[in-house]
Amino acid sequence: GSDDIIAGNVSKYIVLPPGYCGQPKKGHLIFDACFESGNLGRVDHVTEFEYDLFIRPDTCNPRFRVWFNFTVENVKESQ
């Protein structure tokens, strides 16, 4: 569930639609938070234009998730 502890950051994580087989193509987003201050712990595909992002808690203050830092690659025009 969404209350699970998220231990690490996503690292060049390619989000494919459920049931999709084959090589990723333009528009299949690649999320990365494997760098200092990165804090994206999980990504779930909802639709082509919607994703659920799960931010890891701040190391020094686990009660709060007030900031986010990650990159997104492989977007297509108008996405």
Side-chain angles (χ1 to χ4, degrees), residues 18-50:
Y20 178 83
C21 296
Q23 293 293 319
K25 53 187 181 176
K26 200 71 163 170
H28 291 157
L29 301 184
I30 302 170
F31 291 85
D32 187 32
C34 194
F35 49 86
E36 186 175 349
S37 77
N39 67 339
L40 183 61
R42 192 175 99 209
V43 180
D44 293 343
H45 182 272
V46 178
T47 70
E48 180 182 2
F49 299 105
E50 183 179 353

Side-chain angles (χ1 to χ4, degrees), residues 8-9 11 20 23 51 75 78:
N9 291 328
S11 179
Y20 178 83
Q23 293 293 319
Y51 298 81
V75 299
S78 77

Side-chain angles (χ1 to χ4, degrees), residues 3-22:
D3 292 333
D4 291 344
I5 294 173
I6 301 170
N9 291 328
V10 297
S11 179
K12 295 288 184 182
Y13 180 69
I14 302 170
V15 182
L16 299 173
Y20 178 83
C21 296

Side-chain angles (χ1 to χ4, degrees), residues 38-70:
N39 67 339
L40 183 61
R42 192 175 99 209
V43 180
D44 293 343
H45 182 272
V46 178
T47 70
E48 180 182 2
F49 299 105
E50 183 179 353
Y51 298 81
D52 284 336
L53 306 178
F54 296 85
I55 304 301
R56 287 189 314 98
D58 191 327
T59 304
C60 295
N61 194 347
R63 290 183 41 205
F64 298 105
R65 294 177 178 137
V66 296
W67 57 274
F68 53 90
N69 193 5
F70 57 90

